[in-house]
Amino acid sequence: MVQYSPAHFSASFAALSDVTRRGVLEQLARADASITDLADKFGMTLTGMKKHVGILEEAGLVTTEKVGRVRTCKLGSCRLEEEAAWIERYHQLWAARFDELDTVVDELKRKEKASGRKKRI
Amino acid sequence: MTRTVNGPARMVFEAWTKPELFQRWWIPKSMGVTIVSCEMDVRVGGGYRLMLRHGASEPMAFFGKYLEVVPNSRLVWSNDESPDGAVTTVTFEEKAGKTRVVLSELYPSKEALEANGGGIMPEQFDQLDDLLVSLGAATSTP
């Protein structure tokens, strides 16, 4: 289990900020694959794919194992649970904010209506 | 983050840019945090400063600058209390008396900022969307 730390968060969110790396994660969720398989699948050079896998590995999202000449990649122990919990808290904060914003806007509307009536009289 | 507010965009914008209104909703009561002070100079390059206190602890300052101000339509500000703080963008889109509010916080790389002359690229919004989608997908994997 990867421990929570701000540095780990930065590494995992940075790792997820690239479309190829997200694709690699989706691919590995379906089945383990070698770097060569992944490079073929995403139309990249081996060197390019190695770099992406390296970033995912540092974030704990992927682990690799070399057997003979083949390096096999699989999903790592970081299941993004801490990240998901962080996002959930963020959503809750915003939901609470917007609920109170509704109240403020309702009040502005009532005030405007009241002053509008006054002007017409 | 997207939410529809039952009121015209000019009112939502007002609630976002007048300190006396902003203070009433930005820190939900459930957080147990009190607002010590709130200053907002809502114009491009203008600053804001929000002081919050949690219990008996020392007040914490949140501050930054407004990078874009388009009345009733768009606000962009920086969060400068931490060195790699996010840039927050909020847009207000009115339809039939209701306002769709779309908010995103981005931690742009220096390279991306420089390449774009300091602004935010639309692709980054898509990236944030993708990120949230893939996070959902990844966590549901057993």
Side-chain angles (χ1 to χ4, degrees):
Chain A
M1 186 69 204
V2 178
Q3 288 297 306
Y4 162 77
S5 78
H8 170 65
F9 258 34
S10 300
S12 54
F13 282 117
L16 288 169
S17 71
D18 179 89
V19 66
T20 303
R21 291 197 289 271
R22 290 195 297 272
V24 168
L25 287 179
E26 278 170 23
Q27 190 63 34
L28 294 179
R30 287 192 281 271
D32 298 352
S34 71
I35 293 200
T36 315
D37 293 341
L38 292 170
D40 285 349
K41 194 128 212 154
F42 290 90
M44 296 188 74
T45 60
L46 263 179
T47 317
M49 186 47 77
K50 267 183 198 158
K51 268 188 197 158
H52 283 307
V53 168
I55 291 167
L56 289 167
E57 208 172 356
E58 267 174 48
L61 295 166
V62 163
T63 56
T64 69
E65 193 187 4
K66 197 165 185 181
V67 180
R69 290 176 55 106
V70 180
R71 185 170 282 281
T72 303
C73 309
K74 56 174 83 179
L75 287 184
S77 60
C78 171
R79 297 293 177 164
L80 297 170
E81 280 147 4
E82 293 276 3
E83 288 82 351
W86 180 84
I87 288 174
E88 182 49 34
R89 280 197 302 277
Y90 179 86
H91 274 252
Q92 280 169 1
L93 166 66
W94 273 101
R97 271 182 184 165
F98 276 126
D99 286 347
E100 301 203 20
L101 175 64
D102 282 342
T103 311
V104 171
V105 170
D106 276 345
E107 200 183 291
L108 287 174
K109 281 199 294 193
R110 276 201 307 276
K111 268 189 192 161
E112 191 173 274
K113 239 184 179 173
S115 68
R117 271 201 301 271
K118 249 182 260 162
K119 267 177 208 157
R120 277 197 294 276
I121 295 165
Chain B
M1 198 66 50
T2 304
R3 173 101 168 216
T4 300
V5 178
N6 190 11
R10 61 189 163 80
M11 284 183 185
V12 182
F13 189 82
E14 195 182 339
W16 221 288
T17 51
K18 280 196 176 156
E20 67 274 21
L21 295 175
F22 184 79
Q23 289 184 57
R24 288 182 42 198
W25 65 272
W26 184 255
I27 303 301
K29 291 171 195 88
S30 56
M31 276 176 77
V33 173
T34 49
I35 297 177
V36 179
S37 65
C38 173
E39 294 153 39
M40 305 168 87
D41 179 13
V42 188
R43 55 196 167 99
V44 175
Y48 68 88
R49 190 174 187 87
L50 187 65
M51 296 284 281
L52 303 178
R53 189 196 297 276
H54 183 48
S57 59
E58 280 297 296
M60 278 169 67
F62 294 85
F63 54 92
K65 274 197 167 74
Y66 293 97
L67 306 176
E68 284 181 51
V69 177
V70 184
N72 307 336
S73 148
R74 184 178 166 92
L75 279 174
V76 181
W77 66 89
S78 63
N79 296 269
D80 297 338
E81 61 276 354
S82 69
D84 51 358
V87 170
T88 309
T89 299
V90 62
T91 58
F92 311 104
E93 202 181 309
E94 187 176 326
K95 208 173 182 184
K98 295 183 183 204
T99 302
R100 196 170 117 98
V101 181
V102 180
L103 179 131
S104 59
E105 289 192 316
L106 297 165
Y107 296 82
S109 68
K110 267 196 187 117
E111 294 79 3
L113 273 179
E114 279 160 11
N116 199 37
I120 304 286
M121 291 176 287
E123 296 93 285
Q124 289 177 304
F125 291 97
D126 297 339
Q127 278 182 15
L128 189 73
D129 285 345
D130 289 349
L131 174 85
L132 293 174
V133 168
S134 56
L135 277 174
T139 45
S140 62
T141 309

